[in-house]
Amino acid sequence: MASKEVSTGYIKKKVSEDKLMVQERPNLYDNVNKQFTKAADLMGLDANVRKILQTTSNEITIHFPVKMDDGQIEMFTGYRIQHNDVLGPYKGGLRYHPSVDIDEVKALATWMTWKGAIVDIPFGGAKGGIAFDPSKYTNNELERITRRFTFALGNNIGPEYDIPAPDINTNAQIMAWLLDTYLSTIPPHVRQSCTHVVTGKPIESGGSIGREKATGQGVVFTIEEWAKDNNFNLSDATYIVQGFGNVGSWVSRILNSHGSKLLAVEDVTGAILNYEGIDPDDLASYVNEHRGVKDYPKAKPINHETFFQTTADIFIPAAMENQITAETAPWLNVKLVAEGANGPTDIDGDKVLEERRIDLIPDILCNSGGVIVSYFEWLQNKRSEFWELEEVDTKLRKKIINAYAKVRKTANEYDIDWRTAAYIVALSRLEKVYKERGIFP
Ligand code: GLU
């Protein structure tokens, strides 16, 4: 049967004549293991700690039925992977996407453990996901899918045990449904003390001011540090962004307020370019209405390759995994890659970036602003407090630039790339705790 390869820029698919589409992508969990092994070898990580951290603690797969608006039942598959909880409760987002599978969620859960360790918050790592395309379902169906999955998870989540949050295609509304379902299924006398079972909630339902923009804000704080280190002026910088969801749109808004200019954007629907600059607010409302950047009237359409080749100072991948590869990394004409997404660069892509001396702020540092402010939300709920935006932003900045400084110091000490340095910072902290506590029994 004849087949041809179509590069969508997101997932390579083999399209055969009978329209069967087979996703072809590297196993994400292999990427994590390779990154881990490189750092563990270099730092001489304790062999026993290595065995523990190389393994996910709990892998929950749930097949669950949901009634659709037409009365038919559809079966869904969801996952919650808990990688490690030595530093605190499991913590990590919940993703709704057709690419969700157990290996993807295992990789994302593992990255959450490293993230929490680097930025010094008392959380372990977890991630969840449901394998489906939410754009094909009504709001009522999304609510029932979310509630039924939350119910099925039962006590596998909990405010002091495992705390979900938004990720790709999930938002504050979905967190509110999750919260309501969880609270409705526990005894009434403990309900009021359990709102921190989920973060990224709407403000009125116990969310934190500043959580929605937190990942993007954190990305910009790290870019500011890089700019200081390199005597680089952000007020006349140019940048390109892949993905214009929560992270991509917030990074763009905040960078624009510094005077930087957004030249090109790519998402799953296409790519656009305007050398005069693209207004992030205007594009965000267009994307909201049209579900993508395609046909945006104030920029010209370009293809995937031209997007990657656009000359700019900074590239912010803020979409899916495995975007910067052996194929695409040679196309880049930027000074810095700031990873707003999780896992946007694969192992081969990393090598090309290093060879080409393109700076990298790795995902587990760069996009940690989301989980940092999730931690603040969790604390506010536990203490019945409500912090002002200024307090949230100041504390976020402090946390993320401390982590940035640790990674920079480690990269200089070992004379290594920043991703490996970030791993060494995370693994050293985890190793220390395991050595102090030992293994039961
Ligand atoms: N999904 C986000 C991440 O990948 C946020 C996780 C959280 O706040 O728990 O970091």
Side-chain angles (χ1 to χ4, degrees), residues 10 95 168 215-216 219 240-252 265-267 307 315-321 323-324 337-342 344 367:
Y10 279 76
R95 171 177 294 199
I168 292 177
T215 309
V219 170
I240 61 173
V241 175
Q242 189 190 46
F244 216 71
N246 174 288
V247 181
S249 63
W250 274 110
V251 168
S252 303
V265 181
E266 178 181 57
D267 72 4
F307 168 77
F315 174 35
I316 300 116
M320 295 293 286
E321 308 90 35
Q323 299 305 306
I324 304 176
V337 171
E339 293 184 329
N342 290 310
N367 71 36

PDB file of all heavy atoms in Angstrom, residues 10 95 168 215-216 219 240-252 265-267 307 315-321 323-324 337-342 344 367:
ATOM      1  N   TYR A  10       4.139  19.129  13.771  1.00  0.00           N
ATOM      2  CA  TYR A  10       3.834  18.657  15.120  1.00  0.00           C
ATOM      3  C   TYR A  10       4.105  17.177  15.266  1.00  0.00           C
ATOM      4  O   TYR A  10       4.880  16.752  16.084  1.00  0.00           O
ATOM      5  CB  TYR A  10       2.390  18.991  15.507  1.00  0.00           C
ATOM      6  CG  TYR A  10       2.321  20.398  15.962  1.00  0.00           C
ATOM      7  CD1 TYR A  10       2.357  21.442  15.070  1.00  0.00           C
ATOM      8  CD2 TYR A  10       2.329  20.682  17.309  1.00  0.00           C
ATOM      9  CE1 TYR A  10       2.362  22.742  15.491  1.00  0.00           C
ATOM     10  CE2 TYR A  10       2.337  21.983  17.757  1.00  0.00           C
ATOM     11  CZ  TYR A  10       2.353  23.014  16.839  1.00  0.00           C
ATOM     12  OH  TYR A  10       2.381  24.289  17.279  1.00  0.00           O
ATOM     13  N   ARG A  95      -3.346  16.528  30.879  1.00  0.00           N
ATOM     14  CA  ARG A  95      -3.328  16.911  29.463  1.00  0.00           C
ATOM     15  C   ARG A  95      -4.431  16.197  28.696  1.00  0.00           C
ATOM     16  O   ARG A  95      -4.630  14.994  28.898  1.00  0.00           O
ATOM     17  CB  ARG A  95      -1.954  16.526  28.906  1.00  0.00           C
ATOM     18  CG  ARG A  95      -1.806  16.640  27.433  1.00  0.00           C
ATOM     19  CD  ARG A  95      -0.399  16.299  27.004  1.00  0.00           C
ATOM     20  NE  ARG A  95       0.585  17.267  27.488  1.00  0.00           N
ATOM     21  CZ  ARG A  95       1.809  17.419  26.970  1.00  0.00           C
ATOM     22  NH1 ARG A  95       2.193  16.678  25.958  1.00  0.00           N
ATOM     23  NH2 ARG A  95       2.641  18.311  27.457  1.00  0.00           N
ATOM     24  N   ILE A 168      -1.647  20.965  28.519  1.00  0.00           N
ATOM     25  CA  ILE A 168      -2.166  21.230  27.173  1.00  0.00           C
ATOM     26  C   ILE A 168      -3.663  20.905  27.088  1.00  0.00           C
ATOM     27  O   ILE A 168      -4.100  19.819  27.497  1.00  0.00           O
ATOM     28  CB  ILE A 168      -1.357  20.440  26.122  1.00  0.00           C
ATOM     29  CG1 ILE A 168       0.056  21.032  26.059  1.00  0.00           C
ATOM     30  CG2 ILE A 168      -2.030  20.467  24.749  1.00  0.00           C
ATOM     31  CD1 ILE A 168       0.991  20.324  25.124  1.00  0.00           C
ATOM     32  N   THR A 215       3.418  30.358  33.884  1.00  0.00           N
ATOM     33  CA  THR A 215       4.438  29.656  33.100  1.00  0.00           C
ATOM     34  C   THR A 215       5.106  30.645  32.149  1.00  0.00           C
ATOM     35  O   THR A 215       6.342  30.709  32.065  1.00  0.00           O
ATOM     36  CB  THR A 215       3.817  28.469  32.336  1.00  0.00           C
ATOM     37  OG1 THR A 215       3.076  27.679  33.266  1.00  0.00           O
ATOM     38  CG2 THR A 215       4.887  27.606  31.699  1.00  0.00           C
ATOM     39  N   GLY A 216       4.295  31.444  31.451  1.00  0.00           N
ATOM     40  CA  GLY A 216       4.843  32.437  30.527  1.00  0.00           C
ATOM     41  C   GLY A 216       5.682  33.465  31.262  1.00  0.00           C
ATOM     42  O   GLY A 216       6.765  33.851  30.803  1.00  0.00           O
ATOM     43  N   VAL A 219       8.993  31.958  32.103  1.00  0.00           N
ATOM     44  CA  VAL A 219       9.839  31.890  30.903  1.00  0.00           C
ATOM     45  C   VAL A 219      10.517  33.248  30.693  1.00  0.00           C
ATOM     46  O   VAL A 219      11.736  33.331  30.476  1.00  0.00           O
ATOM     47  CB  VAL A 219       9.012  31.490  29.645  1.00  0.00           C
ATOM     48  CG1 VAL A 219       9.835  31.656  28.369  1.00  0.00           C
ATOM     49  CG2 VAL A 219       8.490  30.061  29.764  1.00  0.00           C
ATOM     50  N   ILE A 240      10.453  34.458  17.950  1.00  0.00           N
ATOM     51  CA  ILE A 240       9.439  33.646  17.276  1.00  0.00           C
ATOM     52  C   ILE A 240       8.897  32.622  18.272  1.00  0.00           C
ATOM     53  O   ILE A 240       9.604  32.220  19.205  1.00  0.00           O
ATOM     54  CB  ILE A 240       9.987  32.962  15.996  1.00  0.00           C
ATOM     55  CG1 ILE A 240      11.146  32.009  16.316  1.00  0.00           C
ATOM     56  CG2 ILE A 240      10.432  34.005  14.978  1.00  0.00           C
ATOM     57  CD1 ILE A 240      11.624  31.178  15.113  1.00  0.00           C
ATOM     58  N   VAL A 241       7.647  32.244  18.091  1.00  0.00           N
ATOM     59  CA  VAL A 241       6.985  31.392  19.082  1.00  0.00           C
ATOM     60  C   VAL A 241       6.275  30.233  18.388  1.00  0.00           C
ATOM     61  O   VAL A 241       5.584  30.439  17.388  1.00  0.00           O
ATOM     62  CB  VAL A 241       5.936  32.215  19.885  1.00  0.00           C
ATOM     63  CG1 VAL A 241       5.150  31.330  20.830  1.00  0.00           C
ATOM     64  CG2 VAL A 241       6.618  33.325  20.670  1.00  0.00           C
ATOM     65  N   GLN A 242       6.462  29.037  18.915  1.00  0.00           N
ATOM     66  CA  GLN A 242       5.694  27.898  18.414  1.00  0.00           C
ATOM     67  C   GLN A 242       4.647  27.526  19.455  1.00  0.00           C
ATOM     68  O   GLN A 242       4.976  27.223  20.599  1.00  0.00           O
ATOM     69  CB  GLN A 242       6.605  26.695  18.159  1.00  0.00           C
ATOM     70  CG  GLN A 242       5.866  25.580  17.440  1.00  0.00           C
ATOM     71  CD  GLN A 242       6.653  24.290  17.393  1.00  0.00           C
ATOM     72  OE1 GLN A 242       7.212  23.864  18.400  1.00  0.00           O
ATOM     73  NE2 GLN A 242       6.686  23.661  16.238  1.00  0.00           N
ATOM     74  N   GLY A 243       3.383  27.571  19.056  1.00  0.00           N
ATOM     75  CA  GLY A 243       2.284  27.308  19.987  1.00  0.00           C
ATOM     76  C   GLY A 243       1.761  28.637  20.514  1.00  0.00           C
ATOM     77  O   GLY A 243       2.549  29.470  20.990  1.00  0.00           O
ATOM     78  N   PHE A 244       0.460  28.866  20.406  1.00  0.00           N
ATOM     79  CA  PHE A 244      -0.074  30.135  20.909  1.00  0.00           C
ATOM     80  C   PHE A 244      -1.219  29.884  21.886  1.00  0.00           C
ATOM     81  O   PHE A 244      -2.250  30.532  21.862  1.00  0.00           O
ATOM     82  CB  PHE A 244      -0.488  31.054  19.746  1.00  0.00           C
ATOM     83  CG  PHE A 244      -0.228  32.507  20.033  1.00  0.00           C
ATOM     84  CD1 PHE A 244       1.070  33.005  20.079  1.00  0.00           C
ATOM     85  CD2 PHE A 244      -1.276  33.369  20.288  1.00  0.00           C
ATOM     86  CE1 PHE A 244       1.310  34.350  20.370  1.00  0.00           C
ATOM     87  CE2 PHE A 244      -1.040  34.713  20.579  1.00  0.00           C
ATOM     88  CZ  PHE A 244       0.254  35.196  20.615  1.00  0.00           C
ATOM     89  N   GLY A 245      -1.006  28.888  22.739  1.00  0.00           N
ATOM     90  CA  GLY A 245      -1.961  28.621  23.822  1.00  0.00           C
ATOM     91  C   GLY A 245      -1.578  29.472  25.023  1.00  0.00           C
ATOM     92  O   GLY A 245      -1.062  30.579  24.874  1.00  0.00           O
ATOM     93  N   ASN A 246      -1.808  28.934  26.200  1.00  0.00           N
ATOM     94  CA  ASN A 246      -1.539  29.697  27.425  1.00  0.00           C
ATOM     95  C   ASN A 246      -0.093  30.207  27.472  1.00  0.00           C
ATOM     96  O   ASN A 246       0.154  31.411  27.634  1.00  0.00           O
ATOM     97  CB  ASN A 246      -1.867  28.815  28.651  1.00  0.00           C
ATOM     98  CG  ASN A 246      -1.473  29.465  29.951  1.00  0.00           C
ATOM     99  OD1 ASN A 246      -0.293  29.583  30.271  1.00  0.00           O
ATOM    100  ND2 ASN A 246      -2.441  29.936  30.713  1.00  0.00           N
ATOM    101  N   VAL A 247       0.870  29.302  27.299  1.00  0.00           N
ATOM    102  CA  VAL A 247       2.274  29.689  27.488  1.00  0.00           C
ATOM    103  C   VAL A 247       2.738  30.636  26.375  1.00  0.00           C
ATOM    104  O   VAL A 247       3.257  31.726  26.641  1.00  0.00           O
ATOM    105  CB  VAL A 247       3.187  28.439  27.568  1.00  0.00           C
ATOM    106  CG1 VAL A 247       4.632  28.848  27.800  1.00  0.00           C
ATOM    107  CG2 VAL A 247       2.720  27.505  28.678  1.00  0.00           C
ATOM    108  N   GLY A 248       2.529  30.238  25.121  1.00  0.00           N
ATOM    109  CA  GLY A 248       3.000  31.049  23.990  1.00  0.00           C
ATOM    110  C   GLY A 248       2.403  32.443  23.994  1.00  0.00           C
ATOM    111  O   GLY A 248       3.098  33.437  23.737  1.00  0.00           O
ATOM    112  N   SER A 249       1.105  32.548  24.295  1.00  0.00           N
ATOM    113  CA  SER A 249       0.479  33.873  24.232  1.00  0.00           C
ATOM    114  C   SER A 249       0.931  34.749  25.408  1.00  0.00           C
ATOM    115  O   SER A 249       1.172  35.944  25.225  1.00  0.00           O
ATOM    116  CB  SER A 249      -1.048  33.752  24.178  1.00  0.00           C
ATOM    117  OG  SER A 249      -1.532  33.156  25.346  1.00  0.00           O
ATOM    118  N   TRP A 250       1.116  34.164  26.588  1.00  0.00           N
ATOM    119  CA  TRP A 250       1.568  34.985  27.718  1.00  0.00           C
ATOM    120  C   TRP A 250       3.016  35.429  27.568  1.00  0.00           C
ATOM    121  O   TRP A 250       3.357  36.584  27.849  1.00  0.00           O
ATOM    122  CB  TRP A 250       1.363  34.265  29.058  1.00  0.00           C
ATOM    123  CG  TRP A 250      -0.018  34.488  29.583  1.00  0.00           C
ATOM    124  CD1 TRP A 250      -1.025  33.569  29.669  1.00  0.00           C
ATOM    125  CD2 TRP A 250      -0.565  35.728  30.062  1.00  0.00           C
ATOM    126  NE1 TRP A 250      -2.161  34.154  30.172  1.00  0.00           N
ATOM    127  CE2 TRP A 250      -1.908  35.476  30.424  1.00  0.00           C
ATOM    128  CE3 TRP A 250      -0.059  37.018  30.219  1.00  0.00           C
ATOM    129  CZ2 TRP A 250      -2.750  36.475  30.937  1.00  0.00           C
ATOM    130  CZ3 TRP A 250      -0.889  38.013  30.724  1.00  0.00           C
ATOM    131  CH2 TRP A 250      -2.220  37.742  31.077  1.00  0.00           C
ATOM    132  N   VAL A 251       3.880  34.522  27.108  1.00  0.00           N
ATOM    133  CA  VAL A 251       5.276  34.917  26.868  1.00  0.00           C
ATOM    134  C   VAL A 251       5.288  36.096  25.896  1.00  0.00           C
ATOM    135  O   VAL A 251       5.985  37.095  26.108  1.00  0.00           O
ATOM    136  CB  VAL A 251       6.091  33.744  26.260  1.00  0.00           C
ATOM    137  CG1 VAL A 251       7.436  34.229  25.746  1.00  0.00           C
ATOM    138  CG2 VAL A 251       6.297  32.638  27.271  1.00  0.00           C
ATOM    139  N   SER A 252       4.484  35.995  24.829  1.00  0.00           N
ATOM    140  CA  SER A 252       4.480  37.034  23.800  1.00  0.00           C
ATOM    141  C   SER A 252       3.998  38.364  24.362  1.00  0.00           C
ATOM    142  O   SER A 252       4.583  39.417  24.103  1.00  0.00           O
ATOM    143  CB  SER A 252       3.592  36.614  22.626  1.00  0.00           C
ATOM    144  OG  SER A 252       4.040  35.381  22.113  1.00  0.00           O
ATOM    145  N   VAL A 265       4.848  33.069  14.193  1.00  0.00           N
ATOM    146  CA  VAL A 265       4.184  32.134  15.105  1.00  0.00           C
ATOM    147  C   VAL A 265       3.768  30.909  14.299  1.00  0.00           C
ATOM    148  O   VAL A 265       3.278  31.029  13.176  1.00  0.00           O
ATOM    149  CB  VAL A 265       2.919  32.768  15.748  1.00  0.00           C
ATOM    150  CG1 VAL A 265       2.256  31.789  16.710  1.00  0.00           C
ATOM    151  CG2 VAL A 265       3.246  34.061  16.473  1.00  0.00           C
ATOM    152  N   GLU A 266       3.968  29.733  14.893  1.00  0.00           N
ATOM    153  CA  GLU A 266       3.477  28.504  14.273  1.00  0.00           C
ATOM    154  C   GLU A 266       2.614  27.768  15.284  1.00  0.00           C
ATOM    155  O   GLU A 266       2.924  27.740  16.478  1.00  0.00           O
ATOM    156  CB  GLU A 266       4.649  27.600  13.870  1.00  0.00           C
ATOM    157  CG  GLU A 266       4.187  26.278  13.258  1.00  0.00           C
ATOM    158  CD  GLU A 266       5.345  25.348  12.880  1.00  0.00           C
ATOM    159  OE1 GLU A 266       6.154  25.011  13.768  1.00  0.00           O
ATOM    160  OE2 GLU A 266       5.423  24.966  11.701  1.00  0.00           O
ATOM    161  N   ASP A 267       1.512  27.228  14.818  1.00  0.00           N
ATOM    162  CA  ASP A 267       0.761  26.293  15.663  1.00  0.00           C
ATOM    163  C   ASP A 267       0.284  25.146  14.794  1.00  0.00           C
ATOM    164  O   ASP A 267       0.694  25.014  13.640  1.00  0.00           O
ATOM    165  CB  ASP A 267      -0.356  26.992  16.456  1.00  0.00           C
ATOM    166  CG  ASP A 267      -1.527  27.411  15.589  1.00  0.00           C
ATOM    167  OD1 ASP A 267      -1.534  27.107  14.379  1.00  0.00           O
ATOM    168  OD2 ASP A 267      -2.449  28.053  16.129  1.00  0.00           O
ATOM    169  N   PHE A 307       9.281  28.992   8.887  1.00  0.00           N
ATOM    170  CA  PHE A 307       9.089  29.425  10.272  1.00  0.00           C
ATOM    171  C   PHE A 307      10.377  29.184  11.060  1.00  0.00           C
ATOM    172  O   PHE A 307      10.897  30.079  11.727  1.00  0.00           O
ATOM    173  CB  PHE A 307       7.916  28.682  10.922  1.00  0.00           C
ATOM    174  CG  PHE A 307       7.864  28.877  12.413  1.00  0.00           C
ATOM    175  CD1 PHE A 307       7.387  30.067  12.954  1.00  0.00           C
ATOM    176  CD2 PHE A 307       8.339  27.897  13.282  1.00  0.00           C
ATOM    177  CE1 PHE A 307       7.377  30.274  14.331  1.00  0.00           C
ATOM    178  CE2 PHE A 307       8.329  28.100  14.652  1.00  0.00           C
ATOM    179  CZ  PHE A 307       7.850  29.283  15.169  1.00  0.00           C
ATOM    180  N   PHE A 315      13.936  31.982  20.175  1.00  0.00           N
ATOM    181  CA  PHE A 315      12.876  31.056  19.764  1.00  0.00           C
ATOM    182  C   PHE A 315      12.266  30.468  21.037  1.00  0.00           C
ATOM    183  O   PHE A 315      12.988  29.922  21.877  1.00  0.00           O
ATOM    184  CB  PHE A 315      13.458  29.950  18.876  1.00  0.00           C
ATOM    185  CG  PHE A 315      12.464  28.853  18.525  1.00  0.00           C
ATOM    186  CD1 PHE A 315      11.122  29.141  18.327  1.00  0.00           C
ATOM    187  CD2 PHE A 315      12.893  27.540  18.372  1.00  0.00           C
ATOM    188  CE1 PHE A 315      10.210  28.128  17.991  1.00  0.00           C
ATOM    189  CE2 PHE A 315      11.996  26.530  18.033  1.00  0.00           C
ATOM    190  CZ  PHE A 315      10.650  26.823  17.843  1.00  0.00           C
ATOM    191  N   ILE A 316      10.951  30.602  21.147  1.00  0.00           N
ATOM    192  CA  ILE A 316      10.265  30.009  22.300  1.00  0.00           C
ATOM    193  C   ILE A 316       9.338  28.897  21.813  1.00  0.00           C
ATOM    194  O   ILE A 316       8.223  29.162  21.338  1.00  0.00           O
ATOM    195  CB  ILE A 316       9.458  31.064  23.094  1.00  0.00           C
ATOM    196  CG1 ILE A 316      10.385  32.159  23.614  1.00  0.00           C
ATOM    197  CG2 ILE A 316       8.730  30.429  24.283  1.00  0.00           C
ATOM    198  CD1 ILE A 316      10.111  33.489  23.054  1.00  0.00           C
ATOM    199  N   PRO A 317       9.779  27.632  21.895  1.00  0.00           N
ATOM    200  CA  PRO A 317       8.857  26.539  21.603  1.00  0.00           C
ATOM    201  C   PRO A 317       7.888  26.423  22.774  1.00  0.00           C
ATOM    202  O   PRO A 317       8.317  26.305  23.924  1.00  0.00           O
ATOM    203  CB  PRO A 317       9.768  25.309  21.491  1.00  0.00           C
ATOM    204  CG  PRO A 317      11.005  25.652  22.242  1.00  0.00           C
ATOM    205  CD  PRO A 317      11.126  27.150  22.270  1.00  0.00           C
ATOM    206  N   ALA A 318       6.600  26.517  22.507  1.00  0.00           N
ATOM    207  CA  ALA A 318       5.609  26.484  23.596  1.00  0.00           C
ATOM    208  C   ALA A 318       4.438  25.598  23.170  1.00  0.00           C
ATOM    209  O   ALA A 318       3.280  25.924  23.413  1.00  0.00           O
ATOM    210  CB  ALA A 318       5.137  27.899  23.932  1.00  0.00           C
ATOM    211  N   ALA A 319       4.788  24.491  22.495  1.00  0.00           N
ATOM    212  CA  ALA A 319       3.723  23.599  22.025  1.00  0.00           C
ATOM    213  C   ALA A 319       4.030  22.174  22.480  1.00  0.00           C
ATOM    214  O   ALA A 319       4.087  21.911  23.669  1.00  0.00           O
ATOM    215  CB  ALA A 319       3.615  23.709  20.512  1.00  0.00           C
ATOM    216  N   MET A 320       4.250  21.307  21.518  1.00  0.00           N
ATOM    217  CA  MET A 320       4.397  19.890  21.844  1.00  0.00           C
ATOM    218  C   MET A 320       5.868  19.474  21.934  1.00  0.00           C
ATOM    219  O   MET A 320       6.767  20.274  21.738  1.00  0.00           O
ATOM    220  CB  MET A 320       3.711  19.044  20.756  1.00  0.00           C
ATOM    221  CG  MET A 320       2.219  19.232  20.676  1.00  0.00           C
ATOM    222  SD  MET A 320       1.375  18.602  22.129  1.00  0.00           S
ATOM    223  CE  MET A 320       1.496  16.836  21.842  1.00  0.00           C
ATOM    224  N   GLU A 321       6.060  18.175  22.185  1.00  0.00           N
ATOM    225  CA  GLU A 321       7.403  17.619  22.296  1.00  0.00           C
ATOM    226  C   GLU A 321       8.029  17.404  20.917  1.00  0.00           C
ATOM    227  O   GLU A 321       7.340  17.388  19.905  1.00  0.00           O
ATOM    228  CB  GLU A 321       7.366  16.254  22.992  1.00  0.00           C
ATOM    229  CG  GLU A 321       6.650  16.210  24.298  1.00  0.00           C
ATOM    230  CD  GLU A 321       5.183  15.882  24.155  1.00  0.00           C
ATOM    231  OE1 GLU A 321       4.807  15.093  23.276  1.00  0.00           O
ATOM    232  OE2 GLU A 321       4.404  16.426  24.958  1.00  0.00           O
ATOM    233  N   GLN A 323      10.063  18.878  18.767  1.00  0.00           N
ATOM    234  CA  GLN A 323       9.962  19.823  17.655  1.00  0.00           C
ATOM    235  C   GLN A 323      11.330  20.227  17.123  1.00  0.00           C
ATOM    236  O   GLN A 323      11.494  20.486  15.938  1.00  0.00           O
ATOM    237  CB  GLN A 323       9.199  21.080  18.105  1.00  0.00           C
ATOM    238  CG  GLN A 323       7.792  20.793  18.545  1.00  0.00           C
ATOM    239  CD  GLN A 323       7.021  20.073  17.463  1.00  0.00           C
ATOM    240  OE1 GLN A 323       6.947  20.533  16.338  1.00  0.00           O
ATOM    241  NE2 GLN A 323       6.479  18.912  17.791  1.00  0.00           N
ATOM    242  N   ILE A 324      12.320  20.317  18.028  1.00  0.00           N
ATOM    243  CA  ILE A 324      13.666  20.716  17.615  1.00  0.00           C
ATOM    244  C   ILE A 324      14.475  19.420  17.506  1.00  0.00           C
ATOM    245  O   ILE A 324      14.797  18.785  18.512  1.00  0.00           O
ATOM    246  CB  ILE A 324      14.276  21.702  18.628  1.00  0.00           C
ATOM    247  CG1 ILE A 324      13.335  22.911  18.788  1.00  0.00           C
ATOM    248  CG2 ILE A 324      15.669  22.137  18.188  1.00  0.00           C
ATOM    249  CD1 ILE A 324      13.775  23.918  19.821  1.00  0.00           C
ATOM    250  N   VAL A 337      17.269  29.483  22.594  1.00  0.00           N
ATOM    251  CA  VAL A 337      16.022  28.715  22.625  1.00  0.00           C
ATOM    252  C   VAL A 337      15.572  28.668  24.084  1.00  0.00           C
ATOM    253  O   VAL A 337      16.314  28.197  24.954  1.00  0.00           O
ATOM    254  CB  VAL A 337      16.220  27.273  22.081  1.00  0.00           C
ATOM    255  CG1 VAL A 337      14.976  26.432  22.321  1.00  0.00           C
ATOM    256  CG2 VAL A 337      16.578  27.300  20.595  1.00  0.00           C
ATOM    257  N   ALA A 338      14.387  29.203  24.363  1.00  0.00           N
ATOM    258  CA  ALA A 338      13.847  29.191  25.730  1.00  0.00           C
ATOM    259  C   ALA A 338      12.625  28.260  25.722  1.00  0.00           C
ATOM    260  O   ALA A 338      11.598  28.582  25.132  1.00  0.00           O
ATOM    261  CB  ALA A 338      13.452  30.597  26.161  1.00  0.00           C
ATOM    262  N   GLU A 339      12.779  27.107  26.384  1.00  0.00           N
ATOM    263  CA  GLU A 339      11.784  26.035  26.231  1.00  0.00           C
ATOM    264  C   GLU A 339      10.559  26.239  27.136  1.00  0.00           C
ATOM    265  O   GLU A 339      10.543  25.820  28.289  1.00  0.00           O
ATOM    266  CB  GLU A 339      12.429  24.677  26.512  1.00  0.00           C
ATOM    267  CG  GLU A 339      13.473  24.301  25.468  1.00  0.00           C
ATOM    268  CD  GLU A 339      14.060  22.911  25.682  1.00  0.00           C
ATOM    269  OE1 GLU A 339      14.152  22.459  26.852  1.00  0.00           O
ATOM    270  OE2 GLU A 339      14.437  22.265  24.693  1.00  0.00           O
ATOM    271  N   GLY A 340       9.528  26.847  26.558  1.00  0.00           N
ATOM    272  CA  GLY A 340       8.260  26.992  27.280  1.00  0.00           C
ATOM    273  C   GLY A 340       7.506  25.677  27.347  1.00  0.00           C
ATOM    274  O   GLY A 340       6.760  25.412  28.290  1.00  0.00           O
ATOM    275  N   ALA A 341       7.698  24.819  26.333  1.00  0.00           N
ATOM    276  CA  ALA A 341       7.035  23.510  26.300  1.00  0.00           C
ATOM    277  C   ALA A 341       7.843  22.500  27.105  1.00  0.00           C
ATOM    278  O   ALA A 341       8.979  22.762  27.478  1.00  0.00           O
ATOM    279  CB  ALA A 341       6.939  23.037  24.852  1.00  0.00           C
ATOM    280  N   ASN A 342       7.258  21.346  27.354  1.00  0.00           N
ATOM    281  CA  ASN A 342       7.993  20.237  27.957  1.00  0.00           C
ATOM    282  C   ASN A 342       8.541  19.357  26.840  1.00  0.00           C
ATOM    283  O   ASN A 342       7.793  18.926  25.959  1.00  0.00           O
ATOM    284  CB  ASN A 342       7.061  19.401  28.841  1.00  0.00           C
ATOM    285  CG  ASN A 342       6.658  20.142  30.102  1.00  0.00           C
ATOM    286  OD1 ASN A 342       7.512  20.671  30.819  1.00  0.00           O
ATOM    287  ND2 ASN A 342       5.356  20.200  30.373  1.00  0.00           N
ATOM    288  N   PRO A 344      10.516  19.933  24.134  1.00  0.00           N
ATOM    289  CA  PRO A 344      10.439  20.313  22.718  1.00  0.00           C
ATOM    290  C   PRO A 344      11.671  19.918  21.902  1.00  0.00           C
ATOM    291  O   PRO A 344      11.603  19.881  20.692  1.00  0.00           O
ATOM    292  CB  PRO A 344      10.300  21.842  22.769  1.00  0.00           C
ATOM    293  CG  PRO A 344      10.942  22.242  24.051  1.00  0.00           C
ATOM    294  CD  PRO A 344      10.656  21.126  25.004  1.00  0.00           C
ATOM    295  N   ASN A 367      10.262  26.495  32.088  1.00  0.00           N
ATOM    296  CA  ASN A 367       8.797  26.549  32.213  1.00  0.00           C
ATOM    297  C   ASN A 367       8.314  26.197  33.618  1.00  0.00           C
ATOM    298  O   ASN A 367       7.131  25.899  33.816  1.00  0.00           O
ATOM    299  CB  ASN A 367       8.119  25.693  31.129  1.00  0.00           C
ATOM    300  CG  ASN A 367       8.291  24.198  31.342  1.00  0.00           C
ATOM    301  OD1 ASN A 367       8.286  23.716  32.475  1.00  0.00           O
ATOM    302  ND2 ASN A 367       8.420  23.450  30.264  1.00  0.00           N
TER     303      ASN A 367
END
